[in-house]
């Protein structure tokens, strides 16, 4: 008896390679006599598919497993929609990096077969929830698997703000922005801004200033249960943005406050048994192989 019977498929829009992989995946799963459900948006790109369709939100309610075909950006969007349903999610990489989507298309049948047979590992990745308040009233909110970024938007000017952690004042800062990242997001934008790489199992959040005006402002790693508050300076002339995973944006006014904390629901991410975080880092970040061995 298969552990997964109802399998949802989400795909990145606008990619011929993604559509080709979804067609191949669909044929394979149907050949295994599994019930396949397509996300409605990708289903429109596959005329004549003759399959059940569903919104992304409802996929989490009706599926035992959701497979995301695309890059890490596709996984980020899927994670925000699916985390609350606790449905396991598996990624097939059709992007560039693939930190989160780790099955290669050329190994699709063999590795999916292993997963269907129960040969896989599961990781729980936490998300952040961000809320922007104005005079105590929420004006915008969003979730992020990678990071919440406070930045000046199209302006080239620095922004000024104050940072509080668990109600305690940390510092006031002029900078190009501030990145608040999960361990999952530590290998994304936060890394390019000088933040540390954190293992996905760490229960921590990293706060990374972007080109701060003072060179002594360094990344800070705090407990994942911390409550963070960023207060926008009241005398600023620009309106900065808060971006969640670079996909959802809220415009802030001077005096607004950004509140960030861990989201209670987690993403249940499936990996093949041979998944190795450090091997992924070696491959994606160009780290050296063991001495005397070719870099593969």
């Amino acid at each position: 008896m298969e552990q997964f019977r109802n399998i949802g498929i989400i795909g990145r829009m606008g990619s011929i390679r993604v559509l080709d992989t979804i067609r191949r995946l669909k044929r394979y799963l149907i050949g295994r006599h599994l019930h396949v459900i397509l996300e409605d948006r990708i289903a429109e790109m596959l005329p004549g598919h003759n399959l059940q369709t569903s919104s992304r939100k409802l996929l989490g309610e009706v599926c035992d497993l959701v497979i995301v075909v695309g890059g890490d950006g596709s996984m980020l969007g899927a994670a925000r929609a699916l985390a609350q349903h606790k449905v396991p999610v598996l990624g097939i990489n059709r992007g560039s990096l693939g930190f989160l989507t780790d099955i290669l298309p050329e190994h699709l049948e063999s590795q999916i077969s292993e997963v269907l047979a129960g040969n896989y590992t599961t990781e729980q990745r936490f998300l952040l929830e961000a809320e922007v308040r104005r005079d105590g009233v929420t004006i915008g909110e969003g979730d992020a698997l990678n990071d919440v970024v406070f930045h000046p938007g199209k302006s080239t000017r620095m922004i000024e703000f104050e940072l509080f952690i668990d109600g305690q004042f940390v510092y006031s800062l002029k900078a190009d922005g501030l990145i608040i990242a999960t361990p999952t997001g530590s290998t994304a934008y936060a890394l390019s801004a000088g933040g540390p790489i954190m293992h996905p199992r760490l229960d921590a959040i990293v706060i990374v200033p972007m080109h701060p005006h003072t060179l002594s402002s360094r990344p800070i790693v705090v407990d994942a249960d911390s409550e963070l508050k960023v207060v926008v300076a009241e005398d600023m002339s620009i309106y900065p943005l808060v971006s969640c995973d670079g996909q959802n944006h809220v415009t802030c006014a001077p005096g607004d406050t950004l509140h960030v904390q861990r989201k209670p629901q987690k993403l249940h991410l499936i990996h093949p048994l041979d998944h190795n975080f450090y091997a992924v880092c070696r491959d994606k970040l160009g780290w050296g192989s063991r001495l005397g061995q070719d870099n593969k």
Side-chain angles (χ1 to χ4, degrees), residues 223-237:
D223 188 273
D225 287 328
S226 301
E227 296 183 3
L228 281 57
K229 181 173 73 171
V230 177
V231 181
V232 187
E234 293 190 358
D235 57 352
M236 279 206 311
S237 59

Side-chain angles (χ1 to χ4, degrees), residues 259-275:
H259 300 259
V260 179
Q261 62 184 4
R262 174 164 56 179
K263 187 177 178 67
Q265 299 86 2
K266 295 182 179 181
L267 172 68
H268 295 252
L269 189 62
I270 282 182
H271 297 293
L273 284 179
D274 61 356
H275 174 77

